[in-house]
Amino acid sequence: MFAKGTFDTAGWDAKPPFEERDGVSVGLVTMSKTFHGDLSASSVVYMLVASAEAEDSRAYVAMERIEGTLGSRAGAFVVQHNAVDDRGEQSLSVTVVPGSGTGELAGIRGRMDIAIDADGGHSYTFDYRL
């Protein structure tokens, strides 16, 4: 199955880095999202971010709990993010955590792709199965 739409972010809360050494900073960020389209939901994202001194050199891992409706099914699930920005060359993997689905989304598996438009708008495509 396939879902697509847009999302908004809010509440970017970056804690002071808990480690800064040799030009690398490691810290925690939380934020929230509101999904629109085939996925009508809200979420909270918990990120662990590492940033290097070199421009556009950073990475993050995150867990995001998404709760709402996907198509006509209500429930929640968790996705894991793994992202790297290597001097502008970016990679991102967002995968459903197996066994994390609840309600009518129990048993969900899948992968989400995220795009950021030139104007800063965010969109997603979600390839999933139940």
Side-chain angles (χ1 to χ4, degrees):
M1 292 178 261
F2 186 77
K4 65 180 182 175
T6 61
F7 66 89
D8 305 309
T9 63
W12 182 270
D13 182 19
K15 304 293 184 206
F18 58 82
E19 182 174 298
E20 290 184 291
R21 183 170 27 155
D22 301 326
V24 178
S25 172
V26 181
L28 296 171
V29 174
T30 58
M31 67 179 213
S32 60
K33 293 181 185 174
T34 302
F35 290 87
H36 313 281
D38 298 326
L39 176 60
S40 179
S42 60
S43 72
V44 177
V45 183
Y46 303 94
M47 307 170 82
L48 178 62
V49 182
S51 300
E53 287 180 337
E55 186 175 343
D56 294 327
S57 295
R58 67 187 64 81
Y60 79 85
V61 293
M63 293 293 169
E64 176 178 9
R65 186 172 194 281
I66 300 170
E67 186 170 6
T69 58
L70 178 58
S72 62
R73 297 173 187 250
F77 58 96
V78 176
V79 293
Q80 175 186 350
H81 297 236
N82 185 17
V84 176
D85 186 354
D86 185 357
R87 297 180 188 200
E89 186 176 326
Q90 299 176 344
S91 66
L92 172 64
S93 172
V94 182
T95 307
V96 174
V97 174
S100 67
T102 66
E104 295 174 311
L105 299 176
I108 192 169
R109 301 284 190 274
R111 180 182 170 93
M112 184 179 287
D113 291 313
I114 295 173
I116 302 174
D117 302 329
D119 66 358
H122 295 79
S123 61
Y124 67 88
T125 55
F126 186 28
D127 186 11
Y128 68 97
R129 66 185 187 280
L130 289 164

